[in-house]
Amino acid sequence: MKYENLLITTDKEVAIITINRPTKLNALNKATIEELHYAFKDLGKDKKVKVIILTGSGEKAFVAGADISEFANFSEKEGAKLAAKGQKRLFNFIENLSTPVIAAVNGFALGGGLELAMACHFRVASHNARMGLPEVSLGVIPGYGGTQRLPQLIGRGRAMEMILTASMIDAAKALEFGLVNYVVEQEHLMDLCQKFAGKISNNSPVAISYAIKAINAGFNNSINGYETEIEAFGSCFGTSDFKEGTTAFLEKRRANFPGA
Ligand code: COA
């Protein structure tokens, strides 16, 4: 597929998706959301890709939100459809992807931009990053999972404060809140993400996909996370990765996981 709004590079086992609408601070329009869906779908199917890093182009923004110009005239029905489709096609899709996704938050991550970063498996930010869910200042609420994922990540009280005040927090506060795992200078952001990607790539892709599934299950009210963990744990024993991992350990060598 040819992407108009994304740049995708793959280097060995790591793919980088860069949202590329810098003049609009990488705001998520409909086309970009669709392209992201297909990019994650394709890279998720590619067995050579062990980790995906998601970032925004330019030095100013990760993503400054959903494209306000696209939904300003929507009806109630259209609004609900926008949220439902976006959650299904992109935000839940990333969260449940078997391939780990790291958000490299290189500037503003606002509204849908922060929701996008929160749908990723974890987040690393540069010092200039500013994060917030300013939707109530526009007369709307977060609709791409923000009211759910923000309290999960930072606790209900802090999420209430951020959403109700519509204020932005800086990178240091985001680190303190646990919204991002690390904060570094912008020029080191991608290197640090690559470092994590390298560590992840050494591990069993199958076990990693089961770990993601089990962790996510604990945040899904309709599933028992402990049961999911038991099932996934058992499934690992039937995989070639498990055989290789345990054999390599006993033979005192590094595992070379087949990814099956
Ligand atoms: N949707 C659509 N366009 C957006 C956008 C968004 N969420 N965020 C920024 N842009 C556009 C601006 O309209 C502007 O386009 P223009 O040059 O054609 O006028 C361009 O990106 C640059 O933004 P600008 O506001 O001039 O930059 P700034 O440095 O003065 O301010 C922000 C940066 C992030 C504070 C400001 O852009 C902003 O508040 N954006 C909206 C954030 C928001 O409410 N997001 C939640 C949406 S639900």
Side-chain angles (χ1 to χ4, degrees):
M1 181 170 172
K2 196 173 171 303
Y3 297 109
E4 305 280 335
N5 301 291
L6 306 179
L7 301 171
I8 299 179
T9 57
T10 308
D11 183 13
K12 290 183 201 131
E13 296 166 313
V14 182
I16 300 175
I17 301 177
T18 306
I19 299 167
N20 191 31
R21 299 183 75 214
T23 58
K24 296 291 175 194
L25 303 185
N26 306 318
L28 285 181
N29 59 0
K30 240 169 36 185
T32 307
I33 289 182
E34 275 302 287
E35 289 188 13
L36 281 166
H37 170 78
Y38 286 110
F40 278 108
K41 195 171 174 188
D42 280 357
L43 293 170
K45 276 194 288 199
D46 186 341
K47 286 213 151 211
K48 292 188 294 300
V49 174
K50 302 272 179 63
V51 180
I52 302 167
I53 299 172
L54 176 65
T55 194
S57 81
E59 291 176 357
K60 203 169 158 184
F62 173 72
V63 169
D67 195 321
I68 298 168
S69 64
E70 274 191 351
F71 61 77
N73 298 317
F74 271 15
S75 66
E76 287 173 41
K77 212 168 155 193
E78 288 169 318
K81 202 170 150 205
L82 180 78
K85 193 170 173 205
Q87 287 192 17
K88 188 160 174 246
R89 296 285 284 174
L90 185 58
F91 297 79
N92 298 354
F93 191 81
I94 295 176
E95 185 171 73
N96 294 315
L97 204 69
S98 299
T99 309
V101 183
I102 305 172
V105 182
N106 58 316
F108 289 114
L110 302 173
L114 180 56
E115 291 174 299
L116 185 62
M118 291 194 293
C120 296
H121 297 116
F122 64 93
R123 289 142 294 285
V124 180
S126 54
H127 281 296
N128 65 320
R130 297 282 176 280
M131 281 157 258
L133 293 178
E135 283 86 348
V136 298
S137 71
L138 297 166
V140 67
I141 67 167
Y144 289 145
T147 64
Q148 306 305 300
R149 291 194 182 96
L150 190 62
Q152 286 168 8
L153 283 165
I154 70 172
R156 200 195 310 193
R158 287 165 168 171
M160 284 280 187
E161 179 189 327
M162 280 183 70
I163 293 172
L164 305 189
T165 62
S167 306
M168 286 186 220
I169 58 171
D170 63 14
K173 186 59 102 182
L175 183 64
E176 186 194 321
F177 278 3
L179 185 51
V180 301
N181 293 9
Y182 298 89
V183 175
V184 288
E185 291 301 329
Q186 194 167 52
E187 63 263 37
H188 301 311
L189 179 63
M190 293 311 281
D191 286 346
L192 184 58
C193 292
Q194 289 279 7
K195 201 173 122 191
F196 288 117
K199 285 189 177 192
I200 293 169
S201 300
N202 289 335
N203 301 322
S204 154
V206 182
I208 281 174
S209 71
Y210 282 132
I212 291 172
K213 191 177 171 192
I215 293 168
N216 285 346
F219 294 92
N220 183 334
N221 288 337
S222 60
I223 303 176
N224 182 319
Y226 291 97
E227 288 299 329
T228 304
E229 183 183 275
I230 290 168
E231 254 177 60
F233 182 79
S235 299
C236 290
F237 286 74
T239 66
S240 305
D241 274 11
F242 176 70
K243 279 201 176 50
E244 167 59 11
T246 47
T247 306
F249 178 80
L250 295 172
E251 292 176 355
K252 300 190 187 307
R253 62 173 172 83
R254 208 173 136 158
N256 184 12
F257 291 108

